[in-house]
Amino acid sequence: MKRRLAREIAISSLYQMEMNEVSASEAVDMLMDELRQDNEIGADPSEIGSTDEFARELVQGVLEHKQAIDGMLQQFLTGWQVDRLSRVDRQVLRLACYEMVFRDDVPPKATINEAIELAKHFGFEESGKFVNGVLGKLFLEINELKS
């Protein structure tokens, strides 16, 4: 399974849900259909099923914990409000916070690195640095946040 691809689908799905007010399954379905039909990125067809499953887990997890995630992020956004962030940065931070606090299958530092790359890929020029700063602060408090 390509976890990076699943994270890209999750970020795109969360973004689409916010922009177009579609359900989680509709957003993921649309992106997975595009992947299955076009497969412009050359994904291994045998891995598409597990990528789909992981992307759905991520999206559902963010949605289930969204209020708690936004509260945690707010602690580390100096001079910013969660709802005032760019939509891309907000979704990248939410996904990373979910993985760092509510999942144990990826080390937090790996999650931060992935989030930085996703922010660079989807966001603005400074998005990677911004995401790194916020998640770096969150990382310092990770043990307290998990308890």
Side-chain angles (χ1 to χ4, degrees):
M1 166 185 38
K2 304 265 186 201
R3 286 185 168 231
R4 166 70 63 85
L5 178 58
R7 287 184 182 98
E8 289 179 9
I9 291 167
I11 294 294
S12 296
S13 297
L14 292 165
Y15 181 89
Q16 188 149 22
M17 290 166 56
E18 189 172 301
M19 289 293 296
N20 300 318
E21 297 183 20
V22 297
S23 71
S25 69
E26 288 174 315
V28 176
D29 286 348
M30 188 174 358
L31 291 162
M32 291 307 301
D33 287 346
E34 280 182 28
L35 179 63
R36 286 184 183 96
Q37 291 172 8
D38 300 336
N39 198 3
E40 292 176 358
I41 60 170
D44 182 346
S46 67
E47 293 182 341
I48 290 177
S50 59
T51 300
D52 183 347
E53 184 179 322
F54 186 55
R56 288 177 194 282
E57 284 178 29
L58 294 174
V59 170
Q60 197 58 45
V62 170
L63 291 178
E64 287 175 13
H65 300 283
K66 185 175 170 184
Q67 189 173 357
I69 289 168
D70 285 357
M72 289 177 208
L73 290 173
Q74 192 58 59
Q75 296 176 49
F76 306 106
L77 288 171
T78 308
W80 287 90
Q81 296 293 318
V82 172
D83 62 342
R84 302 282 297 169
L85 298 174
S86 79
R87 287 185 171 102
V88 170
D89 291 350
R90 182 170 43 245
Q91 304 316 332
V92 170
L93 287 169
R94 283 176 174 160
L95 178 62
C97 183
Y98 166 69
E99 285 197 79
M100 291 171 70
V101 176
F102 297 101
R103 293 184 69 105
D104 293 321
D105 57 338
V106 180
K109 288 184 179 179
T111 298
I112 293 170
N113 289 335
E114 281 289 305
I116 293 166
E117 292 306 313
L118 288 166
K120 288 178 184 177
H121 177 73
F122 287 113
F124 299 103
E125 189 175 320
E126 297 296 316
S127 291
K129 291 177 186 175
F130 177 73
V131 165
N132 184 34
V134 174
L135 295 178
K137 292 176 193 176
L138 188 144
F139 177 75
L140 296 175
E141 304 293 328
I142 196 74
N143 291 331
E144 284 183 33
L145 294 171
K146 283 188 170 197
S147 55

